[in-house]
Amino acid sequence: MKDDDRLALRFDCGATWLNLLATRGRCFGADPVERIATPERLGEWLERSELSPVRPPSAADVREAQALRETLRALALAVAAGEPPPTGAVAGLTRFLDATPDPVRLVAGERLTREPPRTAGAALGRVARQAVDHLTGPEREALAICPESDCRGVFANPGGRRRWCPSPACASRGRVRAHRERRRAGSG
């Protein structure tokens, strides 16, 4: 796989907060892929998520985004698996939300929008609030975990028909493995 493909930002997981989780690929493998390693990449991800802050992201914002992502990942994996959420992750997310107030101010124009966040932290606060709504509401039942051991990406699967995350690499590897197992079982 080319480096460009590995580093491509993904927006196919079913919700903005789930797309944040996808900013680190193959996180359970030997060679994880960090897709928001710089302020510029975080800025690109926020822009494509329609969350561009007034003030551009800094290196500290990158660290904050990565920490929020891993906190949300721990909660998402637990909720999707039907397990109790990790206490430390709940406390960490609560601290983050308490520290990032972001009142809703609507803007009427060509379409209804929300006033841009002032900072990257405020933008991440919006992502965190979306995650909380998803993880605690009825949509939590549609969360699924990719069975690929190095991925374990969490994605929205409302119809329950997807087996792997939206990454073509995971589905391809899974299908090849299943095919080999069927062949092995048929020859034995």
Side-chain angles (χ1 to χ4, degrees):
M1 183 183 294
K2 295 183 304 196
D3 227 23
D4 288 350
D5 294 339
R6 287 171 36 95
L7 295 176
L9 295 171
R10 296 191 36 218
F11 297 93
D12 56 1
C13 296
T16 302
W17 77 276
L18 292 169
N19 295 337
L20 177 63
L21 299 185
T23 62
R24 185 164 191 243
R26 296 189 169 188
C27 24
F28 296 98
D31 189 25
V33 178
E34 179 58 65
R35 296 183 177 115
I36 55 168
T38 65
E40 295 75 24
R41 285 293 283 183
L42 175 58
E44 179 184 348
W45 186 85
L46 290 169
E47 180 181 342
R48 291 185 58 194
S49 299
E50 297 187 13
L51 290 168
S52 290
V54 173
R55 190 179 77 220
S58 66
D61 293 324
V62 171
R63 290 187 297 276
E64 183 177 24
Q66 293 169 345
L68 174 63
R69 176 189 64 205
E70 298 313 315
T71 297
L72 292 176
R73 184 183 320 284
L75 293 169
L77 287 168
V79 169
E83 298 169 353
T87 307
V90 173
L93 182 56
T94 300
R95 280 190 303 277
F96 178 83
L97 291 170
D98 288 346
T100 54
D102 183 40
V104 176
R105 291 191 179 92
L106 297 176
V107 178
E110 293 287 318
R111 67 180 183 91
L112 183 63
T113 60
R114 188 171 174 180
E115 189 175 82
R118 304 288 305 148
T119 65
L124 293 169
R126 292 180 188 184
V127 174
R129 284 174 183 80
Q130 182 193 56
V132 168
D133 288 344
H134 203 151
L135 291 166
T136 62
E139 297 90 358
R140 74 186 179 283
E141 299 296 329
L143 292 175
I145 301 170
C146 182
E148 291 300 304
S149 62
D150 64 342
C151 175
R152 300 199 25 86
V154 181
F155 59 98
N157 189 14
R161 296 182 351 186
R162 291 193 71 100
R163 183 160 175 205
W164 294 279
C165 75
S167 169
C170 290
S172 178
R173 288 183 306 184
R175 287 186 189 109
V176 167
R177 189 174 29 264
H179 175 73
R180 287 179 181 153
E181 288 172 12
R182 283 192 304 273
R183 286 185 66 190
R184 211 177 358 251
S187 66

